[in-house]
């Protein structure tokens, strides 16, 4: 004998209020707990400079600077970064200006298609701040999560080395 089944009760998860400082401006976002930082920045904060590449943390296109360290925003839950300071490619330089790495990327023709460039620049800024990479080999190794198969890799390393060397003399 079959009994009539009742419809399952669906409970929607409540949103969480997430407070971020993004490029120096406060952002208060109501997000579902599983929203990535990448989607929060792009879809809720309207900052589309950070790119969604593989969405698996393998390409580095989504790299942003969080509390001074470079992170993959596609692998980071936005709720886990409540209260953090986030810098995206839109915030690396003063309005209307370019960051020295942006200038160096232009001067060295360090982008092939340019899709990954925002993540590469954010990663390179973090790399220089970390003060770890002093040689081309070290830069290549520490940028390995961002360097793809494009032909601009040597130009990217040239651009980073130029800014790295300028920073060392300041």
């Amino acid at each position: 004998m079959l009994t009539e089944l009742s419809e399952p009760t669906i409970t929607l998860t409540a949103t969480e209020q997430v407070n971020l400082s993004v490029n120096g401006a406060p952002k208060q976002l109501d997000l579902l707990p599983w929203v990535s930082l990448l989607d929060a920045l792009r879809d809720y904060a309207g900052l589309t400079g950070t790119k969604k590449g593989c969405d698996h943390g393998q390409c580095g296109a989504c790299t942003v600077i969080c509390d001074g360290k470079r992170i993959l925003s596609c692998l980071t839950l936005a709720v886990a970064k409540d209260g953090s300071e986030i810098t995206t490619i839109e915030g690396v330089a003063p309005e209307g200006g370019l960051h020295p790495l942006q200038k160096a990327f232009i001067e060295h023709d360090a982008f092939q298609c340019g899709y990954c460039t925002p993540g590469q620049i954010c990663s390179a800024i973090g790399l220089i701040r970390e003060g770890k990479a002093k040689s081309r080999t070290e830069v290549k190794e520490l940028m390995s999560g961002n360097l793809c198969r494009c032909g601009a890799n040597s130009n990217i390393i040239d651009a980073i080395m130029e800014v790295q060397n300028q920073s060392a003399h300041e």
Side-chain angles (χ1 to χ4, degrees):
M1 173 175 183
L2 291 174
T3 60
E4 200 171 302
L5 297 173
S6 63
E7 291 201 20
T9 303
I10 298 174
T11 305
L12 295 176
T13 304
T15 59
E16 303 265 341
Q17 188 175 76
V18 178
N19 295 297
L20 301 171
S21 173
V22 182
N23 301 327
K27 297 280 182 188
Q28 190 175 55
L29 307 171
D30 291 319
L31 303 170
L32 291 168
W34 53 82
V35 171
S36 71
L37 181 60
L38 172 62
D39 290 338
L41 293 169
R42 290 183 55 84
D43 300 338
Y44 296 88
L47 297 168
T48 57
T50 306
K51 302 301 182 215
K52 182 180 274 195
C54 66
D55 212 20
H56 291 89
Q58 297 175 345
C59 73
C62 67
T63 303
V64 297
I65 301 166
C66 176
D67 297 326
K69 297 184 180 192
R70 51 192 173 145
I71 65 167
L72 298 171
S73 62
C74 75
L75 296 182
T76 305
L77 294 175
V79 295
K81 295 301 174 187
D82 186 36
S84 292
E85 289 188 31
I86 309 293
T87 303
T88 67
I89 191 65
E90 293 95 338
V92 298
E95 191 170 321
L98 293 175
H99 185 279
L101 270 166
Q102 291 172 307
K103 291 178 186 172
F105 267 59
I106 292 169
E107 291 166 6
H108 289 277
D109 192 24
F111 21 58
Q112 191 81 13
C113 71
Y115 192 80
C116 299
T117 303
Q120 290 168 344
I121 289 174
C122 285
S123 187
I125 290 170
L127 176 144
I128 290 170
R129 286 183 183 162
E130 292 164 9
K132 295 178 182 170
K134 302 296 183 205
S135 69
R136 291 184 65 82
T137 302
E138 290 172 337
V139 168
K140 186 174 182 179
E141 176 64 26
L142 291 173
M143 287 291 294
S144 64
N146 292 85
L147 296 177
C148 66
R149 295 172 287 177
C150 79
N153 286 351
S154 63
N155 299 9
I156 293 167
I157 295 168
D158 290 344
I160 295 169
M161 289 303 298
E162 178 183 302
V163 175
Q164 176 85 300
N165 290 335
Q166 289 172 355
S167 298
H169 297 294
E170 291 178 351

